[in-house]
Amino acid sequence: MVGSIDHGLLVLLGVARGDTEADAAALAAKLVGLRVFADDQAKMNRSVADVGGAVLVVSQFTLLASVAKGRRPSFTDAADPDEAERLVREFMNEIAAAGVVVAGGRFGAYMQVDLRNDGPVTLVLEAVNGQVR
């Protein structure tokens, strides 16, 4: 087992051509502060930091797949592996710098990821020019 967490967030992170350190930092800051965990009144008012949770980051270039043509996905929008690995590490470092425990997989390796989804929250975050939308 490479990386594991107990309570927290699983992030499937796709790095696209043109993504920057500012994008990684903005995504990390947004992720750490997102209020997606329930409070005592069952309202989503707590962040991963608030609940003492951790973040598991799995690099997932296949998120950048285009299926516009033919039947085989194209991954030309994905960043080259060296740049993607650098930005995944930058993202993880930003999370750790915010005081949240972060774990990861082995970059570029075939992985089996187990998830126990505890609740209805699945979000897609994207950063462009250092801004999350």
Side-chain angles (χ1 to χ4, degrees):
M1 183 179 314
V2 175
S4 67
I5 63 170
D6 187 25
H7 185 63
L9 300 171
L10 170 63
V11 175
L12 302 176
L13 182 63
V15 180
R17 292 186 184 280
D19 283 351
T20 65
E21 289 180 7
D23 296 328
L27 281 172
K30 178 63 84 171
L31 181 79
V32 168
L34 278 176
R35 299 184 314 170
V36 294
F37 291 92
D39 63 14
D40 295 336
Q41 287 78 42
K43 303 262 189 226
M44 290 194 307
N45 277 326
R46 294 186 176 153
S47 70
V48 68
D50 294 336
V51 299
V55 177
L56 177 62
V57 178
V58 177
S59 177
Q60 194 72 30
F61 79 95
T62 59
L63 290 171
L64 285 294
S66 171
V67 294
K69 295 181 181 179
R71 294 184 182 180
R72 181 177 298 137
S74 169
F75 301 105
T76 58
D77 290 341
D80 71 76
D82 290 339
E83 181 65 2
E85 184 172 18
R86 185 182 73 76
L87 289 173
V88 167
R89 295 287 170 226
E90 180 66 24
F91 176 74
M92 293 174 68
N93 289 340
E94 292 284 339
I95 293 169
V100 175
V101 173
V102 62
R106 183 171 293 118
F107 187 88
Y110 178 88
M111 290 179 276
Q112 294 182 352
V113 179
D114 291 320
L115 163 67
R116 186 182 73 222
N117 195 1
D118 182 17
V121 180
T122 302
L123 303 173
V124 175
L125 305 180
E126 181 180 14
V128 177
N129 298 322
Q131 300 292 313
V132 178
R133 52 182 181 158

Short mmCIF file of all heavy atoms in Angstrom, two decimals, residues 30-73:
data_model
loop_
_atom_site.label_atom_id
_atom_site.label_comp_id
_atom_site.label_asym_id
_atom_site.label_seq_id
_atom_site.Cartn_x
_atom_site.Cartn_y
_atom_site.Cartn_z
N LYS A 30 -8.58 26.10 -2.04
CA LYS A 30 -10.04 25.91 -2.12
C LYS A 30 -10.43 24.59 -1.47
O LYS A 30 -11.38 24.52 -0.69
CB LYS A 30 -10.50 25.96 -3.58
CG LYS A 30 -11.97 25.74 -3.79
CD LYS A 30 -12.84 26.80 -3.16
CE LYS A 30 -12.98 27.99 -4.06
NZ LYS A 30 -13.99 28.94 -3.57
N LEU A 31 -9.70 23.53 -1.80
CA LEU A 31 -10.02 22.20 -1.29
C LEU A 31 -9.95 22.16 0.23
O LEU A 31 -10.86 21.64 0.89
CB LEU A 31 -9.05 21.17 -1.88
CG LEU A 31 -9.30 19.74 -1.43
CD1 LEU A 31 -10.46 19.15 -2.20
CD2 LEU A 31 -8.06 18.92 -1.59
N VAL A 32 -8.90 22.71 0.79
CA VAL A 32 -8.71 22.68 2.24
C VAL A 32 -9.82 23.45 2.96
O VAL A 32 -10.23 23.07 4.05
CB VAL A 32 -7.32 23.23 2.62
CG1 VAL A 32 -7.20 23.48 4.10
CG2 VAL A 32 -6.24 22.25 2.17
N GLY A 33 -10.33 24.49 2.33
CA GLY A 33 -11.36 25.31 2.97
C GLY A 33 -12.80 24.94 2.66
O GLY A 33 -13.72 25.49 3.26
N LEU A 34 -13.01 24.03 1.72
CA LEU A 34 -14.38 23.67 1.34
C LEU A 34 -15.14 23.07 2.53
O LEU A 34 -14.66 22.15 3.19
CB LEU A 34 -14.39 22.64 0.21
CG LEU A 34 -14.22 23.16 -1.20
CD1 LEU A 34 -14.15 21.99 -2.18
CD2 LEU A 34 -15.33 24.12 -1.59
N ARG A 35 -16.32 23.58 2.76
CA ARG A 35 -17.15 23.09 3.86
C ARG A 35 -18.06 21.99 3.32
O ARG A 35 -19.18 22.25 2.88
CB ARG A 35 -17.92 24.24 4.48
CG ARG A 35 -16.98 25.28 5.05
CD ARG A 35 -17.69 26.40 5.77
NE ARG A 35 -18.81 26.93 5.03
CZ ARG A 35 -19.69 27.78 5.52
NH1 ARG A 35 -19.59 28.19 6.76
NH2 ARG A 35 -20.67 28.23 4.78
N VAL A 36 -17.56 20.77 3.35
CA VAL A 36 -18.29 19.63 2.79
C VAL A 36 -18.58 18.53 3.82
O VAL A 36 -19.15 17.50 3.48
CB VAL A 36 -17.55 19.02 1.57
CG1 VAL A 36 -17.51 20.01 0.42
CG2 VAL A 36 -16.14 18.58 1.95
N PHE A 37 -18.19 18.79 5.07
CA PHE A 37 -18.46 17.83 6.13
C PHE A 37 -19.54 18.39 7.04
O PHE A 37 -19.61 19.59 7.29
CB PHE A 37 -17.18 17.54 6.94
CG PHE A 37 -16.15 16.79 6.18
CD1 PHE A 37 -15.17 17.47 5.47
CD2 PHE A 37 -16.16 15.40 6.14
CE1 PHE A 37 -14.22 16.78 4.74
CE2 PHE A 37 -15.21 14.71 5.42
CZ PHE A 37 -14.24 15.39 4.71
N ALA A 38 -20.38 17.50 7.55
CA ALA A 38 -21.53 17.90 8.36
C ALA A 38 -21.11 18.39 9.74
O ALA A 38 -20.18 17.86 10.36
CB ALA A 38 -22.50 16.74 8.49
N ASP A 39 -21.88 19.40 10.21
CA ASP A 39 -21.73 19.86 11.59
C ASP A 39 -22.74 19.12 12.46
O ASP A 39 -23.36 18.14 12.02
CB ASP A 39 -21.88 21.39 11.68
CG ASP A 39 -23.27 21.88 11.28
OD1 ASP A 39 -24.22 21.06 11.17
OD2 ASP A 39 -23.41 23.10 11.07
N ASP A 40 -22.94 19.60 13.69
CA ASP A 40 -23.86 18.93 14.63
C ASP A 40 -25.32 19.00 14.18
O ASP A 40 -26.15 18.24 14.66
CB ASP A 40 -23.71 19.52 16.03
CG ASP A 40 -22.33 19.25 16.60
OD1 ASP A 40 -21.67 18.28 16.16
OD2 ASP A 40 -21.90 20.03 17.48
N GLN A 41 -25.65 19.92 13.28
CA GLN A 41 -27.01 20.05 12.77
C GLN A 41 -27.15 19.40 11.38
O GLN A 41 -28.10 19.68 10.66
CB GLN A 41 -27.42 21.52 12.69
CG GLN A 41 -27.69 22.17 14.04
CD GLN A 41 -26.41 22.52 14.77
OE1 GLN A 41 -25.46 23.01 14.17
NE2 GLN A 41 -26.38 22.24 16.06
N ALA A 42 -26.19 18.59 10.99
CA ALA A 42 -26.18 17.88 9.71
C ALA A 42 -26.10 18.83 8.52
O ALA A 42 -26.50 18.48 7.42
CB ALA A 42 -27.37 16.94 9.59
N LYS A 43 -25.56 20.02 8.71
CA LYS A 43 -25.33 20.99 7.62
C LYS A 43 -23.87 20.90 7.21
O LYS A 43 -22.98 20.71 8.04
CB LYS A 43 -25.62 22.41 8.09
CG LYS A 43 -27.01 22.61 8.63
CD LYS A 43 -27.89 23.19 7.59
CE LYS A 43 -29.22 23.58 8.23
NZ LYS A 43 -30.34 23.17 7.49
N MET A 44 -23.62 21.06 5.92
CA MET A 44 -22.23 21.04 5.43
C MET A 44 -21.57 22.37 5.81
O MET A 44 -21.63 23.34 5.07
CB MET A 44 -22.18 20.80 3.92
CG MET A 44 -22.56 19.41 3.54
SD MET A 44 -22.14 18.93 1.83
CE MET A 44 -22.87 20.22 0.88
N ASN A 45 -20.94 22.37 6.99
CA ASN A 45 -20.31 23.57 7.52
C ASN A 45 -18.87 23.36 7.96
O ASN A 45 -18.26 24.29 8.49
CB ASN A 45 -21.11 24.13 8.70
CG ASN A 45 -22.28 24.98 8.25
OD1 ASN A 45 -22.20 25.67 7.25
ND2 ASN A 45 -23.38 24.90 8.98
N ARG A 46 -18.33 22.17 7.77
CA ARG A 46 -16.97 21.90 8.25
C ARG A 46 -16.06 21.50 7.09
O ARG A 46 -16.46 20.77 6.19
CB ARG A 46 -16.99 20.80 9.30
CG ARG A 46 -17.71 21.21 10.57
CD ARG A 46 -17.58 20.17 11.64
NE ARG A 46 -18.20 20.65 12.86
CZ ARG A 46 -18.71 19.86 13.78
NH1 ARG A 46 -18.68 18.54 13.62
NH2 ARG A 46 -19.25 20.37 14.86
N SER A 47 -14.84 21.96 7.17
CA SER A 47 -13.83 21.62 6.17
C SER A 47 -13.06 20.39 6.61
O SER A 47 -13.18 19.94 7.75
CB SER A 47 -12.86 22.79 5.99
OG SER A 47 -12.06 22.92 7.15
N VAL A 48 -12.23 19.88 5.72
CA VAL A 48 -11.39 18.73 6.05
C VAL A 48 -10.46 19.09 7.22
O VAL A 48 -10.20 18.26 8.08
CB VAL A 48 -10.61 18.22 4.82
CG1 VAL A 48 -9.56 19.21 4.33
CG2 VAL A 48 -10.00 16.86 5.07
N ALA A 49 -10.00 20.33 7.26
CA ALA A 49 -9.16 20.77 8.38
C ALA A 49 -9.97 20.81 9.67
O ALA A 49 -9.47 20.40 10.73
CB ALA A 49 -8.56 22.14 8.07
N ASP A 50 -11.21 21.30 9.60
CA ASP A 50 -12.06 21.41 10.78
C ASP A 50 -12.32 20.05 11.43
O ASP A 50 -12.44 19.96 12.65
CB ASP A 50 -13.41 22.03 10.43
CG ASP A 50 -13.33 23.48 9.99
OD1 ASP A 50 -12.35 24.17 10.34
OD2 ASP A 50 -14.26 23.92 9.26
N VAL A 51 -12.44 19.01 10.62
CA VAL A 51 -12.78 17.68 11.16
C VAL A 51 -11.54 16.83 11.42
O VAL A 51 -11.66 15.67 11.80
CB VAL A 51 -13.76 16.92 10.23
CG1 VAL A 51 -15.06 17.69 10.08
CG2 VAL A 51 -13.14 16.60 8.88
N GLY A 52 -10.36 17.41 11.24
CA GLY A 52 -9.12 16.64 11.45
C GLY A 52 -8.93 15.55 10.42
O GLY A 52 -8.29 14.54 10.70
N GLY A 53 -9.47 15.76 9.23
CA GLY A 53 -9.36 14.76 8.17
C GLY A 53 -8.07 14.89 7.39
O GLY A 53 -7.24 15.76 7.65
N ALA A 54 -7.92 14.03 6.43
CA ALA A 54 -6.73 13.99 5.58
C ALA A 54 -7.18 14.00 4.11
O ALA A 54 -8.37 13.86 3.82
CB ALA A 54 -5.90 12.75 5.88
N VAL A 55 -6.21 14.14 3.22
CA VAL A 55 -6.50 14.15 1.79
C VAL A 55 -5.63 13.10 1.11
O VAL A 55 -4.41 13.07 1.32
CB VAL A 55 -6.22 15.55 1.18
CG1 VAL A 55 -6.45 15.53 -0.33
CG2 VAL A 55 -7.09 16.61 1.84
N LEU A 56 -6.25 12.24 0.33
CA LEU A 56 -5.54 11.27 -0.50
C LEU A 56 -5.58 11.76 -1.93
O LEU A 56 -6.67 11.95 -2.49
CB LEU A 56 -6.17 9.88 -0.40
CG LEU A 56 -5.57 8.79 -1.28
CD1 LEU A 56 -4.11 8.53 -0.90
CD2 LEU A 56 -6.38 7.50 -1.16
N VAL A 57 -4.42 11.99 -2.52
CA VAL A 57 -4.33 12.53 -3.88
C VAL A 57 -3.87 11.42 -4.82
O VAL A 57 -2.82 10.81 -4.61
CB VAL A 57 -3.34 13.71 -3.95
CG1 VAL A 57 -3.21 14.23 -5.37
CG2 VAL A 57 -3.78 14.82 -3.00
N VAL A 58 -4.68 11.18 -5.84
CA VAL A 58 -4.36 10.18 -6.86
C VAL A 58 -4.28 10.90 -8.20
O VAL A 58 -5.27 11.47 -8.66
CB VAL A 58 -5.44 9.07 -6.91
CG1 VAL A 58 -5.13 8.08 -8.02
CG2 VAL A 58 -5.54 8.37 -5.56
N SER A 59 -3.11 10.88 -8.80
CA SER A 59 -2.95 11.48 -10.12
C SER A 59 -3.75 10.68 -11.13
O SER A 59 -3.66 9.46 -11.19
CB SER A 59 -1.47 11.48 -10.51
OG SER A 59 -1.31 11.99 -11.81
N GLN A 60 -4.55 11.38 -11.95
CA GLN A 60 -5.48 10.70 -12.84
C GLN A 60 -5.53 11.41 -14.19
O GLN A 60 -6.45 12.16 -14.48
CB GLN A 60 -6.87 10.71 -12.18
CG GLN A 60 -7.86 9.79 -12.79
CD GLN A 60 -7.56 8.35 -12.49
OE1 GLN A 60 -7.01 7.99 -11.46
NE2 GLN A 60 -7.93 7.49 -13.40
N PHE A 61 -4.53 11.14 -15.05
CA PHE A 61 -4.47 11.82 -16.34
C PHE A 61 -5.67 11.49 -17.22
O PHE A 61 -6.04 12.26 -18.10
CB PHE A 61 -3.17 11.51 -17.08
CG PHE A 61 -3.15 10.17 -17.76
CD1 PHE A 61 -3.49 10.07 -19.10
CD2 PHE A 61 -2.79 9.03 -17.07
CE1 PHE A 61 -3.48 8.84 -19.75
CE2 PHE A 61 -2.77 7.81 -17.70
CZ PHE A 61 -3.12 7.71 -19.04
N THR A 62 -6.33 10.38 -16.95
CA THR A 62 -7.47 10.00 -17.78
C THR A 62 -8.66 10.95 -17.63
O THR A 62 -9.56 10.94 -18.46
CB THR A 62 -7.92 8.55 -17.48
OG1 THR A 62 -8.28 8.45 -16.11
CG2 THR A 62 -6.82 7.56 -17.81
N LEU A 63 -8.65 11.79 -16.61
CA LEU A 63 -9.69 12.82 -16.49
C LEU A 63 -9.63 13.82 -17.64
O LEU A 63 -10.60 14.50 -17.92
CB LEU A 63 -9.55 13.56 -15.16
CG LEU A 63 -9.90 12.76 -13.91
CD1 LEU A 63 -9.51 13.55 -12.66
CD2 LEU A 63 -11.37 12.42 -13.89
N LEU A 64 -8.50 13.90 -18.32
CA LEU A 64 -8.32 14.83 -19.43
C LEU A 64 -8.67 14.20 -20.76
O LEU A 64 -8.43 14.79 -21.82
CB LEU A 64 -6.87 15.33 -19.48
CG LEU A 64 -6.47 16.37 -18.42
CD1 LEU A 64 -7.19 17.65 -18.59
CD2 LEU A 64 -6.44 15.90 -17.03
N ALA A 65 -9.26 13.03 -20.74
CA ALA A 65 -9.57 12.31 -21.98
C ALA A 65 -10.59 13.07 -22.82
O ALA A 65 -11.54 13.65 -22.31
CB ALA A 65 -10.10 10.92 -21.67
N SER A 66 -10.37 13.03 -24.12
CA SER A 66 -11.37 13.52 -25.07
C SER A 66 -11.89 12.31 -25.84
O SER A 66 -11.11 11.49 -26.32
CB SER A 66 -10.74 14.51 -26.05
OG SER A 66 -11.66 14.82 -27.08
N VAL A 67 -13.20 12.23 -25.94
CA VAL A 67 -13.82 11.15 -26.70
C VAL A 67 -14.61 11.71 -27.88
O VAL A 67 -15.52 11.08 -28.39
CB VAL A 67 -14.71 10.26 -25.80
CG1 VAL A 67 -13.87 9.52 -24.78
CG2 VAL A 67 -15.79 11.09 -25.13
N ALA A 68 -14.22 12.92 -28.31
CA ALA A 68 -14.93 13.60 -29.39
C ALA A 68 -14.84 12.86 -30.71
O ALA A 68 -15.78 12.88 -31.50
CB ALA A 68 -14.40 15.02 -29.55
N LYS A 69 -13.72 12.22 -30.96
CA LYS A 69 -13.53 11.52 -32.23
C LYS A 69 -13.28 10.04 -31.98
O LYS A 69 -12.53 9.67 -31.08
CB LYS A 69 -12.33 12.09 -32.98
CG LYS A 69 -12.50 13.52 -33.41
CD LYS A 69 -11.29 14.01 -34.16
CE LYS A 69 -11.44 15.46 -34.58
NZ LYS A 69 -10.26 15.93 -35.29
N GLY A 70 -13.89 9.22 -32.77
CA GLY A 70 -13.64 7.78 -32.71
C GLY A 70 -14.09 7.16 -31.41
O GLY A 70 -14.90 7.71 -30.68
N ARG A 71 -13.50 6.00 -31.12
CA ARG A 71 -13.89 5.23 -29.93
C ARG A 71 -12.77 5.10 -28.92
O ARG A 71 -12.97 4.56 -27.84
CB ARG A 71 -14.36 3.85 -30.35
CG ARG A 71 -15.63 3.93 -31.16
CD ARG A 71 -16.14 2.56 -31.47
NE ARG A 71 -17.34 2.68 -32.29
CZ ARG A 71 -18.01 1.66 -32.73
NH1 ARG A 71 -17.61 0.44 -32.45
NH2 ARG A 71 -19.07 1.86 -33.46
N ARG A 72 -11.59 5.56 -29.29
CA ARG A 72 -10.45 5.48 -28.38
C ARG A 72 -10.22 6.86 -27.78
O ARG A 72 -10.09 7.84 -28.49
CB ARG A 72 -9.20 5.01 -29.11
CG ARG A 72 -8.00 4.90 -28.17
CD ARG A 72 -6.76 4.37 -28.86
NE ARG A 72 -7.01 3.04 -29.37
CZ ARG A 72 -6.63 2.61 -30.56
NH1 ARG A 72 -5.98 3.41 -31.39
NH2 ARG A 72 -6.89 1.39 -30.95
N PRO A 73 -10.16 6.97 -26.45
CA PRO A 73 -9.92 8.27 -25.83
C PRO A 73 -8.57 8.85 -26.25
O PRO A 73 -7.59 8.13 -26.42
CB PRO A 73 -9.93 7.97 -24.33
CG PRO A 73 -10.60 6.66 -24.19
CD PRO A 73 -10.33 5.91 -25.47
#
